[in-house]
Amino acid sequence: MPKILVVPGDGIGVEVTEVSVSILRTVGERNGVEFTLENDLLGGCAIDAHGIPVTEETIEKAKQSDAVLLGAVGGPKWENIEHHLKPERGLLELRKQLDTFANLRPAIVYAALADASTLKREVVEGVDIMVVRELTSGIYFGHPRGNEQLGGGESKAFNTLHYTTSEIERVAKMAFEIARKRKNKVTSIDKSNVLESMVLWRDTVTELHERQFSDVTLEHLYVDNAAMQLIRRPADFDVMLAGNMFGDIISDEAAQLTGSLGMLPSASVGNEGAIYEPVHGSAPDIAGKGIANPIASILSMAMMLRYSFDMDGAAAQVEEAVRKVLDKGYRTSDIYEEGKARVGTEEMGSLILGEL
Ligand code: IPM
Ligand code: MN
């Protein structure tokens, strides 16, 4: 019996997760798989209930589960809290504790949505990118970090970007293996012209490639150039490999190619477990209105079926159902275009369920 910890979090995280959980239940019934679901708090709602963004018990439960299905965390209510108690810290702690070192973020441009992109149709058509982002190290977690009063009203704040050979190798290995099942190309992103940590990044990726993956095409791009090439010739990319912060930035950019951040799922995988979550945030401006796009969450749930439960067929059915509903012209507000049918969160969920 697969055990899933459901952590809707804050804002639209709650609404979209509810929809994907109801679809997940149906998928389970159809496939004779009994998912055991338990709910828990993370982020702002955990701060309200416990005074901290994630409790030991939640982390323990996550470790005991086969997968975590997450919504989103954060919101204006918790913006002025001390830095180390912010909702985001809960998410980062969960990722760190579960050692989910590889974050897979597929950005696919659906034919039906090519005109919803802010780029020209002919530029984004056929885009199918997998961003592989390092998730548990880099500048997000490096020490020393903090701030110092220098006197005279002057402060100094600092973070540290460091990577070890093995941290780079394990995520790069994942990228190469994924590429072999796709178009067999990896673009590794760094800033080795300036940063020592990124020289190690490039050297390690290059060596691993020569040693084990010389059948895969490898290119290296500096992150500034990669950001530019990604809007110039996005269809040329297959797997994009990057460290934590560059991967965070590049994956939002890749998401926008597809028309909306509301479409992008992600899977964070590693040694201790897996976390599935939409790339989008808690979107406080539209939270509670029932208009959020549940597709990123639904597709994250599909990634969970595929990567954690080997249910490739069921995952493909969910993805196909999403495609059909889009082909039929149904759109949530974020991807709405003239002449299409505008639907809310729940209705989008029901339509997708209907296609299954
Ligand atoms: C993401 C988010 C998080 C990150 C934030 C909320 C901590 O932007 O998942 O991309 O920076 O990793
Ligand atoms: Mn981000």
Side-chain angles (χ1 to χ4, degrees):
M1 259 199 316
K3 253 170 86 174
I4 300 166
L5 186 67
V6 180
V7 189
D10 309 314
I12 64 165
V14 179
E15 303 152 49
V16 299
T17 307
E18 197 180 304
V19 169
S20 37
V21 165
S22 74
I23 297 177
L24 174 66
R25 287 190 200 280
T26 305
V27 170
E29 281 162 25
R30 296 277 168 76
N31 292 274
V33 180
E34 204 179 311
F35 294 110
T36 311
L37 306 175
E38 191 180 345
N39 267 62
D40 211 339
L41 305 175
L42 183 81
C45 57
I47 296 174
D48 289 347
H50 307 297
I52 47 173
V54 65
T55 64
E56 285 286 328
E57 293 83 75
T58 304
I59 297 214
E60 211 31 57
K61 270 191 219 165
K63 284 185 179 170
Q64 303 301 327
S65 306
D66 298 301
V68 177
L69 183 64
L70 204 141
V73 299
K77 184 177 173 193
W78 307 283
E79 229 148 58
N80 296 318
I81 299 185
E82 256 181 283
H83 186 73
H84 71 283
L85 290 175
K86 287 218 166 104
E88 289 79 2
R89 300 302 312 171
L91 176 57
L92 296 176
E93 186 61 21
L94 188 67
R95 288 173 177 169
K96 187 74 179 173
Q97 293 284 335
L98 293 189
D99 200 18
T100 51
F101 62 84
N103 183 210
L104 318 181
R105 299 187 154 182
I108 297 169
V109 172
Y110 290 83
L113 287 188
D115 291 317
S117 175
T118 42
L119 298 187
K120 294 191 192 93
R121 169 179 275 274
E122 57 268 31
V123 175
V124 296
E125 235 163 12
V127 164
D128 182 352
I129 297 170
M130 177 70 91
V131 178
V132 178
R133 169 191 176 193
E134 198 290 323
L135 200 63
T136 51
S137 183
I139 197 165
Y140 272 49
F141 294 95
H143 283 270
R145 66 185 296 163
N147 41 53
E148 281 166 17
Q149 302 298 326
L150 297 178
E154 187 79 343
S155 295
K156 179 171 123 181
F158 48 94
N159 294 89
T160 305
L161 170 53
H162 57 60
Y163 270 112
T164 61
T165 319
S166 51
E167 284 172 341
I168 300 166
E169 255 180 16
R170 63 181 188 173
V171 70
K173 183 165 179 276
M174 187 87 79
F176 285 126
E177 280 167 356
I178 289 171
R180 276 184 178 156
K181 295 186 195 154
R182 297 171 44 99
K183 285 179 249 149
N184 215 35
K185 180 177 169 191
V186 171
T187 303
S188 176
I189 295 164
D190 64 46
K191 190 70 187 174
S192 56
N193 49 344
V194 179
L195 306 169
E196 283 82 352
S197 53
M198 293 288 102
V199 174
L200 183 67
W201 182 279
R202 185 173 291 213
D203 289 350
T204 306
V205 173
T206 304
E207 262 167 48
L208 178 70
H209 176 251
E210 280 165 15
R211 217 166 54 235
Q212 282 183 43
F213 297 97
S214 52
D215 56 301
V216 180
T217 306
L218 171 66
E219 73 173 352
H220 300 277
L221 290 182
Y222 298 138
V223 63
D224 49 350
N225 186 24
M228 186 268 281
Q229 300 296 345
L230 190 53
I231 49 169
R232 196 170 81 98
R233 49 176 185 95
D236 285 356
F237 293 101
D238 180 20
V239 174
M240 299 183 91
L241 166 67
N244 206 340
M245 188 160 70
F246 294 163
D248 180 42
I249 298 165
I250 288 287
S251 60
D252 267 29
E253 191 186 350
Q256 184 52 37
L257 298 173
T258 71
S260 167
L261 202 48
M263 297 293 298
L264 237 76
S266 93
S268 307
V269 296
N271 295 318
E272 291 274 347
I275 307 172
Y276 298 88
E277 56 172 311
V279 171
H280 65 69
S282 59
D285 51 327
I286 60 163
K289 295 187 180 159
I291 58 170
N293 186 349
I295 292 179
S297 176
I298 294 167
L299 293 175
S300 300
M301 183 270 290
M303 289 186 88
M304 177 173 78
L305 296 173
R306 178 172 288 119
Y307 292 107
S308 283
F309 305 125
D310 279 327
M311 295 172 68
D312 288 46
Q317 278 168 15
V318 172
E319 289 158 356
E320 191 48 36
V322 168
R323 196 182 299 272
K324 278 193 194 142
V325 169
L326 293 173
D327 284 343
K328 286 186 178 169
Y330 296 103
R331 302 283 188 272
T332 40
S333 292
D334 56 315
I335 47 175
Y336 181 75
E337 295 162 68
E338 196 69 32
K340 303 291 179 193
R342 195 192 295 264
V343 298
T345 312
E346 267 176 41
E347 197 181 343
M348 180 56 97
S350 311
L351 287 162
I352 293 167
L353 202 54
E355 291 294 339
L356 277 171

